Amino acid sequence: MSTYPPGSGAPSAAGEEFWAALPSASLPVPDLISGRFPIMDVSPTVESGRRPAKAAVGELITVEATVVREGHDALGVDVVPIRPDGTRALPVPMVPTNPGLGRWLATMRPDTEGMWGFTIEAWSDPYGTWTHRAEVKIPAGVDVELEFEEGALVLSRAAEGMPASTREPLLAAIAALRNTDLPEEARLAAGTGRKVRDALARHPLRDLVTASGPWPLFVDRRRALFGAWYEFFPRSEGATATKSGTLSQAAERLPAIADMGFDVVYLPPIHPIGTINRKGANNTLDPGPDDPGSPWAIGSAAGGHEAVHPDLGTIKDFDAFVARTRALGMEVALDFALQAAPDHPWATAGKPWFLLRADGTIAYAENPPKKYQDIYPMWFDGDPAGLLKESLRILHHWMDHGVRIFRVDNPHTKPVRFWDALLGEIRRTDPDVLFLAEAFTKPPMMRALAEVGFHQSYTYFTWRNEKWELEQYLHYLAGEAAAYMRPNFFTNTPDILHAYLQYGGPAAFAIRATLAATLAPTYGVYSGFELFEHVAVKPGSEEYLDTEKFSYRPRDYAAAEAAGTTLAPYLTRLNDIRRRHPALQQLRTITFHHVEDENIIAFSKQDGDDTVIVVCTLDPHAARESVIHLNMPALGMDWHESFRVRDEITNTNFEWREHNFIRLDPHVHCAHILHLRQGAA
């Protein structure tokens, strides 16, 4: 145990030295500006470029910057993607989105994993300056021949730096500009024509090039952005009220999960469970002889974080479970809970990783008024170097057994710098390994964890049920937070059974599944959701009655399917729609549309030529009728244009326009998921 005075909480000398000497994973600050023109407010960026912004393979990333110049001459702005090997991709022209505010925008779509970057380049545009001036002055008869000659000189400069194969339109235009036998209108048209503009769009004449960057952008594998998670306890599969199921029995559940279209199977801790202070059913302090305890009370004489609970089987059984999951096209996500039961080998071996109270006992976990007598939290100021080394050892152990995704329990109760070091090391050695932060905490801490490397985060979605709060939250997640945090919208968890699900009936489950699956690229459900499990331990509580955290919970899925009392077919439909529509695999492109009824929400998403409009009722009890007013430019159309949509839920077609009547009965269909068809209706 630790040697400092019990109850003092004083960090050890080794702890102080570790935190002081721990190298930072921060990157050098990019050049904010190098040249003639101001480049400001670049996005996406994190901590002024000290941390990489987040992206995923195939994700459409919007790059923006504020760029201005003195006077009235034309300005061009490009974004130049920089690939992981350091090579520069072709510049992507940025377009002004608000000329009065000098805001410019472009998109890029990274196609490989690794540390990308991008540079903003602003440049004086001699051709744009000339065309603007010439199109005003020549028709007015001002400096006509002088303007024609200056245009010819600009095009001559441009032609010199252009490949010979694309130079011909410019040479023809130069000749026309200097040909005084042609009408002035024809000479001007030759110098400003489409062929000339197209050639200069491919090979612009750029003066006084000013660069800002490179701004870092780490591109993760696609699963970091898009996926559907299914959480279940292996010990409940094939279990009885008094006997645990096994990993082999749990593997029999995997085909049904795959058939529903889920991508990730998330397992709570599968390690030995402590016997000291073990909790009984419904979190009681008097367990019976057959109560299994909480999986998060990790460790006993049978082993710690690297062991498999003997009741579940062996490490070979786990390997077989992982192999079966992969064969079905899914991945295993394993819980990483950095805490220990009182009989964990860490505690019994006297590791200096626990805080002692004034009476010499180890402090158990508390979140007043909640108490977790069966769990010791870790103390990070006694031997943080040893704790970091042990954590890396455990993670690599499970990585060696096929786990490439970890759901981290309560990371906000551990030092952010610890995660900075741990996640940085894993990214260095195994950049494909993903981490989900189970951090139901304050926004600044959620942001800090995301910035230091967590790939995804639990969110407040579970508690956002009104239209205004959903819209407000999504504006934040798809806006300023998109650079650093990816949300994972779980509909429910073993800890969270929201009152909306408790009292909303089956329609509430369909509504929340629809919102989670279409608002966020990644979402998840906890098993029992498809069976409409909704009974809380007591009124006002979000805890399930007979919660699976402390008891076995065998479920009869076959009986529910036979009786038609399962949401599984609808979840299957949602997951199929998500996979077929790239628009639903994006977050940043979301646009909300006005519906007169506050109990109906409407939004659209786009990716390339794929556009999806989602209209969902928020009322699980009664049918709702209203009018939706679409933001037509956000859909890429004129205000009075009509268009065709196909409802992916019902396979029916509609003709829509700016204003549309809608009726949604949650007991029939709670939502329209509309694929916008190309072409007029």
Side-chain angles (χ1 to χ4, degrees), residues 47 412 416 439-451 457-460 464 472-473 476-477 480-481 484-485:
E47 296 299 328
H412 55 290
V416 174
F440 293 118
T441 186
K442 297 177 181 178
M445 177 57 81
M446 295 173 73
R447 173 179 176 175
L449 292 168
E451 287 187 358
S457 178
Y458 278 47
T459 67
Y460 305 133
R464 299 293 188 266
Q472 183 184 70
Y473 194 39
Y476 163 71
L477 292 174
E480 63 178 281
Y484 56 82
M485 190 172 81

Coordinates of all heavy atoms in Angstrom, one line a residue, residues 47 412 416 439-451 457-460 464 472-473 476-477 480-481 484-485:
E47 N -8.0 23.4 -30.9 CA -7.0 24.1 -30.1 C -6.0 24.7 -30.9 O -4.7 24.5 -30.8 CB -6.4 23.1 -29.1 CG -7.3 22.5 -28.1 CD -7.9 23.5 -27.2 OE1 -7.3 24.5 -26.9 OE2 -9.1 23.3 -26.7
H412 N -14.2 10.2 -17.5 CA -14.1 11.5 -16.9 C -13.7 11.6 -15.4 O -13.5 12.6 -14.8 CB -15.4 12.3 -17.1 CG -16.6 11.5 -16.5 ND1 -17.1 10.3 -17.1 CD2 -17.4 11.7 -15.5 CE1 -18.1 9.9 -16.4 NE2 -18.3 10.7 -15.4
V416 N -7.2 13.6 -17.5 CA -7.2 13.7 -19.0 C -5.8 13.4 -19.5 O -5.7 12.8 -20.6 CB -7.8 15.1 -19.4 CG1 -7.6 15.3 -20.9 CG2 -9.2 15.2 -18.9
A439 N -18.8 9.0 -21.1 CA -18.6 10.2 -20.2 C -19.9 11.0 -20.2 O -20.0 12.0 -20.9 CB -17.4 11.0 -20.8
F440 N -20.8 10.6 -19.4 CA -22.0 11.4 -19.1 C -21.7 12.5 -18.1 O -21.8 12.3 -16.9 CB -23.2 10.6 -18.6 CG -23.7 9.6 -19.6 CD1 -23.6 8.2 -19.4 CD2 -24.2 10.0 -20.8 CE1 -24.1 7.3 -20.3 CE2 -24.7 9.0 -21.7 CZ -24.6 7.7 -21.5
T441 N -21.1 13.6 -18.6 CA -20.6 14.6 -17.7 C -20.7 16.0 -18.4 O -21.4 16.1 -19.4 CB -19.1 14.3 -17.4 OG1 -18.6 15.2 -16.4 CG2 -18.2 14.3 -18.6
K442 N -20.0 17.0 -17.8 CA -20.1 18.3 -18.3 C -19.5 18.5 -19.7 O -18.5 17.8 -20.0 CB -19.5 19.3 -17.3 CG -20.2 19.3 -16.0 CD -19.5 20.2 -15.0 CE -20.2 20.2 -13.6 NZ -19.5 21.0 -12.6
P443 N -20.0 19.3 -20.5 CA -19.5 19.5 -21.9 C -18.0 19.8 -22.0 O -17.3 19.2 -22.8 CB -20.3 20.7 -22.5 CG -21.6 20.6 -21.7 CD -21.2 20.1 -20.3
P444 N -17.4 20.6 -21.1 CA -16.0 20.8 -21.2 C -15.1 19.6 -21.0 O -14.1 19.4 -21.7 CB -15.7 21.9 -20.1 CG -17.0 22.6 -19.9 CD -18.0 21.5 -20.1
M445 N -15.5 18.7 -20.1 CA -14.8 17.5 -19.9 C -15.0 16.5 -21.1 O -14.1 15.8 -21.6 CB -15.2 16.8 -18.6 CG -14.6 15.4 -18.4 SD -12.8 15.5 -18.4 CE -12.5 16.0 -16.7
M446 N -16.2 16.5 -21.6 CA -16.5 15.6 -22.8 C -15.6 16.1 -24.0 O -15.0 15.3 -24.7 CB -17.9 15.7 -23.2 CG -18.9 15.1 -22.2 SD -20.6 15.3 -22.5 CE -20.8 14.2 -23.9
R447 N -15.5 17.4 -24.1 CA -14.6 18.0 -25.1 C -13.2 17.6 -24.9 O -12.5 17.2 -25.9 CB -14.8 19.5 -25.2 CG -13.8 20.2 -26.1 CD -14.0 21.7 -26.2 NE -13.0 22.3 -27.0 CZ -13.0 23.6 -27.3 NH1 -13.9 24.4 -26.8 NH2 -12.0 24.1 -28.1
A448 N -12.7 17.8 -23.7 CA -11.3 17.5 -23.4 C -10.9 16.0 -23.7 O -9.9 15.7 -24.3 CB -11.0 17.8 -21.9
L449 N -11.8 15.1 -23.3 CA -11.6 13.7 -23.6 C -11.6 13.5 -25.1 O -10.7 12.7 -25.6 CB -12.6 12.9 -23.0 CG -12.6 12.8 -21.4 CD1 -13.9 12.2 -20.9 CD2 -11.4 12.1 -20.9
A450 N -12.5 14.1 -25.8 CA -12.5 13.9 -27.3 C -11.2 14.5 -27.9 O -10.7 13.9 -28.9 CB -13.7 14.6 -27.9
E451 N -10.8 15.6 -27.5 CA -9.6 16.2 -28.1 C -8.3 15.4 -27.9 O -7.4 15.4 -28.7 CB -9.4 17.6 -27.5 CG -10.5 18.6 -28.0 CD -10.2 20.1 -27.6 OE1 -9.2 20.3 -26.9 OE2 -10.9 21.0 -28.0
S457 N -18.1 9.4 -28.3 CA -18.5 9.8 -27.0 C -20.0 9.5 -26.8 O -20.8 9.7 -27.7 CB -18.2 11.2 -26.7 OG -18.7 11.5 -25.4
Y458 N -20.3 8.9 -25.7 CA -21.8 8.9 -25.3 C -22.2 10.4 -25.2 O -21.4 11.3 -25.1 CB -21.9 8.3 -23.9 CG -22.0 6.8 -23.9 CD1 -21.1 6.0 -24.6 CD2 -23.0 6.1 -23.1 CE1 -21.1 4.7 -24.5 CE2 -23.0 4.8 -23.1 CZ -22.1 4.0 -23.8 OH -22.2 2.6 -23.8
T459 N -23.5 10.6 -25.2 CA -24.0 12.0 -25.3 C -25.2 12.2 -24.5 O -25.6 11.3 -23.8 CB -24.4 12.3 -26.8 OG1 -25.5 11.5 -27.1 CG2 -23.3 12.0 -27.8
Y460 N -25.8 13.4 -24.6 CA -27.0 13.7 -23.8 C -28.3 13.3 -24.6 O -29.4 13.7 -24.2 CB -27.1 15.2 -23.5 CG -25.9 15.7 -22.8 CD1 -25.3 16.9 -23.2 CD2 -25.4 15.1 -21.7 CE1 -24.2 17.4 -22.5 CE2 -24.3 15.6 -21.0 CZ -23.7 16.8 -21.4 OH -22.6 17.3 -20.8
R464 N -32.6 14.1 -24.4 CA -33.1 15.1 -25.3 C -34.3 14.6 -26.0 O -34.2 13.7 -26.9 CB -32.1 15.6 -26.3 CG -30.8 16.2 -25.7 CD -31.1 17.5 -25.0 NE -29.9 18.1 -24.5 CZ -29.4 18.1 -23.3 NH1 -30.0 17.3 -22.4 NH2 -28.3 18.7 -23.0
Q472 N -31.3 22.1 -31.0 CA -30.2 22.8 -30.3 C -28.9 22.0 -30.2 O -27.8 22.4 -30.5 CB -30.6 23.4 -29.0 CG -29.6 24.3 -28.3 CD -30.1 24.7 -26.9 OE1 -30.2 23.9 -26.0 NE2 -30.4 26.0 -26.8
Y473 N -29.1 20.7 -29.7 CA -28.0 19.8 -29.4 C -27.4 19.4 -30.7 O -26.1 19.3 -30.8 CB -28.5 18.6 -28.7 CG -27.4 17.8 -28.1 CD1 -26.3 18.4 -27.5 CD2 -27.5 16.4 -28.0 CE1 -25.3 17.6 -26.9 CE2 -26.5 15.6 -27.5 CZ -25.4 16.2 -26.9 OH -24.4 15.5 -26.4
Y476 N -25.1 22.0 -32.2 CA -23.8 22.0 -31.5 C -22.9 20.8 -32.0 O -21.7 21.0 -32.4 CB -24.0 21.9 -30.0 CG -22.8 21.5 -29.2 CD1 -21.7 22.4 -29.1 CD2 -22.7 20.3 -28.6 CE1 -20.6 22.0 -28.4 CE2 -21.6 19.9 -27.9 CZ -20.5 20.7 -27.8 OH -19.4 20.3 -27.0
L477 N -23.5 19.6 -32.1 CA -22.7 18.4 -32.4 C -22.2 18.5 -33.9 O -21.1 18.1 -34.2 CB -23.5 17.2 -32.2 CG -23.8 16.8 -30.7 CD1 -24.8 15.6 -30.7 CD2 -22.5 16.5 -30.0
E480 N -19.7 23.3 -34.1 CA -18.4 23.5 -33.5 C -17.8 22.3 -32.9 O -16.6 22.1 -32.9 CB -18.5 24.6 -32.4 CG -19.5 24.2 -31.2 CD -19.5 25.2 -30.1 OE1 -18.5 25.3 -29.4 OE2 -20.5 26.0 -30.1
A481 N -18.7 21.3 -32.5 CA -18.1 20.1 -31.9 C -17.7 19.1 -32.9 O -16.9 18.2 -32.5 CB -19.2 19.5 -30.9
Y484 N -14.0 17.9 -33.1 CA -13.3 17.1 -32.1 C -14.1 16.0 -31.5 O -13.5 15.0 -30.9 CB -12.9 18.0 -30.9 CG -13.9 18.9 -30.3 CD1 -14.8 18.3 -29.3 CD2 -14.1 20.2 -30.6 CE1 -15.8 19.1 -28.7 CE2 -15.1 21.0 -30.0 CZ -15.9 20.4 -29.1 OH -16.9 21.1 -28.5
M485 N -15.4 15.9 -31.6 CA -16.2 14.9 -30.9 C -17.2 14.2 -31.9 O -17.9 14.9 -32.6 CB -17.0 15.5 -29.8 CG -17.6 14.4 -28.9 SD -18.3 15.1 -27.4 CE -19.9 15.7 -28.0

